[in-house]
Amino acid sequence: MLICRSQFETMTLNIHSSHSTQFWLSVLILAFTISGFVSGLAPEELSLSFDESFVIGGTTNADADYFLAYPYYIRTDNRQNIYIAEGEQKTIMVFGPQGNYLRSIGRSGKGPGEFPSGPIFHLNNENNIVAYDIVSQRVTWFSKKGNILSEYAPSRPDMVWSEKFFQTKGGNYIMLKKPRTIGEEATGNYRDYVFHRYSNSFENHLNSFGKFSRLVSKSDSKFVNMISSWKNDGNVVKTEKNSFWYVPGIYDGKVYEFEKSADGWKIVNRFEGHTNWEEAVVLNTDEEGSMLFVTYGKEGKQQQRSRGKINSYSIGMVQMSNGNVLHFSGQRMQNQDSLKTMVEVFDPQGDLVGTGSFDEIAIHNNLGYFSSHHPAIWMDEKDRFYFIDHEDAPVVRVGKIEGI
């Protein structure tokens, strides 16, 4: 069992500057140097807005078959049909390109095609739905019409069940997860890695890669390990057929590109983003904004306890049709009692084009509240943007981001 407590904080920033008294040439050289340094820290500021097309959910008199009580995941297929995981009804709701309800796939239960808890799903290379339930630990393949194609319940102790996974060009599945525990009979230290690759049937674990200690800031701390395992293990976006980008959950401005080679999946690039803080996480602090994590064993005995404060964390990544990648992050604002959603725009080569706030996604002051009210962002092939808005009754908002 996990207990998380959080407080809101106010932070201040002291800026120190120096002045040159040298002759004009030195002044010019210094000015150009400072200009280049500042531009690296402060990229072009973008003015972003959201042009909303329609909203799914939010009406209390909606048919019970498609009332959104707890949506938490969004995907679209090649025809722009919209698939939404619904946690209260434990199903995958399907809507047409304009938001009209079509059907539900799966339902609450323990039988074939049923989910004891909310389903995790992905549209695979054949545009069929691969879904599993972490409680039942069973994988089900559905057609887009909702027919069961096959099922598989792995009995292997080294299976890593993740809330985020995707299929590669070759058909294998990659799970994103910093495991807390795995089966006692499992071989290898899976907890050292954040990616775990399985065969297209999930029967075979092929390998794990992406060393946690290399990717995540302050990875040797108990607090960072608990955040990564319990709350936010990061986000990925497929950028090419054999590559993807990864951002750790605690975001320190580093974005990693992985690429498949003959030797397996390797880091080939590290891109520099932009955050408001030198430290994405501050450890062992009890000042306002800090979070306390306590875990308990089966008999109620305290196992772990850690405290820290997160200043910057990843919300998600999407790719546009022109190859640009948008990274959404939650940032504490310097000298302000607020948290904001910030968007960084990278070109396909990984260069940071600009950054701006996206106020449509509101962040609760309590970051411990965030994981259960995630905006679950998504962008389809026509650059339509989708996110879950939890401000009032939960809804899925659909439209275009302007200003990029």
Side-chain angles (χ1 to χ4, degrees), residues 263-306:
D263 298 327
W265 289 88
K266 306 288 185 182
I267 297 175
V268 294
N269 284 304
R270 192 187 80 180
F271 308 130
E272 296 298 326
H274 176 72
T275 68
N276 296 320
W277 299 84
E278 290 185 7
E279 288 188 295
V281 59
V282 180
L283 303 175
N284 303 318
T285 178
D286 59 359
E287 62 188 24
E288 290 186 65
S290 64
M291 303 170 68
L292 173 65
F293 279 90
V294 182
T295 60
Y296 294 89
K298 292 182 179 179
E299 298 179 358
K301 184 178 180 180
Q302 182 175 311
Q303 293 180 322
Q304 288 184 310
R305 180 186 181 94
S306 65

Side-chain angles (χ1 to χ4, degrees), residues 40-300:
L41 289 179
E44 178 186 351
E45 185 173 345
L46 304 176
S47 179
L48 304 178
S49 61
F50 184 62
D51 183 12
E52 188 171 285
S53 299
F54 59 89
V55 171
I56 298 176
T59 54
T60 56
N61 59 349
D63 190 307
D65 287 339
Y66 60 91
F67 176 68
L68 295 182
Y70 180 43
Y72 58 90
Y73 196 75
I74 308 168
R75 286 297 182 265
T76 54
D77 63 19
N78 54 357
R79 295 185 177 181
Q80 286 191 295
N81 291 317
I82 305 162
Y83 298 75
I84 301 173
E86 218 297 310
E88 187 71 23
Q89 299 189 57
K90 301 176 177 59
T91 188
I92 301 169
M93 295 184 178
V94 187
F95 298 83
Q98 301 306 315
N100 54 305
Y101 173 77
L102 299 178
R103 69 187 71 88
S104 290
I105 296 175
R107 62 183 181 183
S108 178
K110 298 181 179 180
E114 296 177 341
F115 306 107
S117 64
I120 309 298
F121 74 93
H122 172 75
L123 272 76
N124 66 11
N125 296 344
E126 290 76 39
N127 258 293
N128 291 320
I129 299 157
V130 183
Y132 59 76
D133 178 281
I134 294 178
V135 172
S136 67
Q137 298 190 348
R138 180 182 61 220
V139 185
T140 305
W141 284 259
F142 294 94
S143 71
K144 290 194 292 185
K145 296 292 185 181
N147 299 317
I148 298 176
L149 301 176
S150 62
E151 287 191 321
Y152 175 64
S155 58
R156 52 186 311 116
D158 55 5
M159 185 70 190
V160 177
W161 297 98
S162 168
E163 295 180 358
K164 300 168 186 174
F165 75 106
F166 63 94
Q167 189 176 33
T168 67
K169 177 186 177 183
N172 301 146
Y173 289 96
I174 293 179
M175 303 285 197
L176 165 58
K177 183 68 177 178
K178 171 67 168 64
R180 297 188 295 273
T181 58
I182 54 174
E184 294 180 358
E185 300 175 2
T187 58
N189 191 355
Y190 286 21
R191 299 183 208 181
D192 287 346
Y193 302 94
V194 296
F195 296 108
H196 313 276
R197 190 164 65 99
Y198 291 86
S199 61
N200 60 1
S201 64
F202 290 93
E203 294 182 21
N204 300 307
H205 172 256
L206 304 177
N207 69 308
S208 294
F209 63 95
K211 201 87 172 200
F212 181 73
S213 60
R214 182 179 178 185
L215 297 170
V216 180
S217 175
K218 303 182 181 180
S219 60
D220 58 343
S221 74
K222 186 184 298 184
F223 180 77
V224 169
N225 270 267
M226 293 178 75
I227 286 288
S228 300
S229 297
W230 287 93
K231 289 288 183 182
N232 191 345
D233 38 26
N235 292 284
V236 298
V237 62
K238 289 175 63 177
T239 51
E240 299 289 344
K241 292 182 178 179
N242 279 311
S243 67
F244 66 87
W245 292 14
Y246 167 68
V247 176
I250 297 177
Y251 178 54
D252 63 354
K254 297 180 178 62
V255 181
Y256 299 90
E257 181 182 23
F258 284 80
E259 190 172 274
K260 187 178 185 301
S261 66
D263 298 327
W265 289 88
K266 306 288 185 182
I267 297 175
V268 294
N269 284 304
R270 192 187 80 180
F271 308 130
E272 296 298 326
H274 176 72
T275 68
N276 296 320
W277 299 84
E278 290 185 7
E279 288 188 295
V281 59
V282 180
L283 303 175
N284 303 318
T285 178
D286 59 359
E287 62 188 24
E288 290 186 65
S290 64
M291 303 170 68
L292 173 65
F293 279 90
V294 182
T295 60
Y296 294 89
K298 292 182 179 179
E299 298 179 358

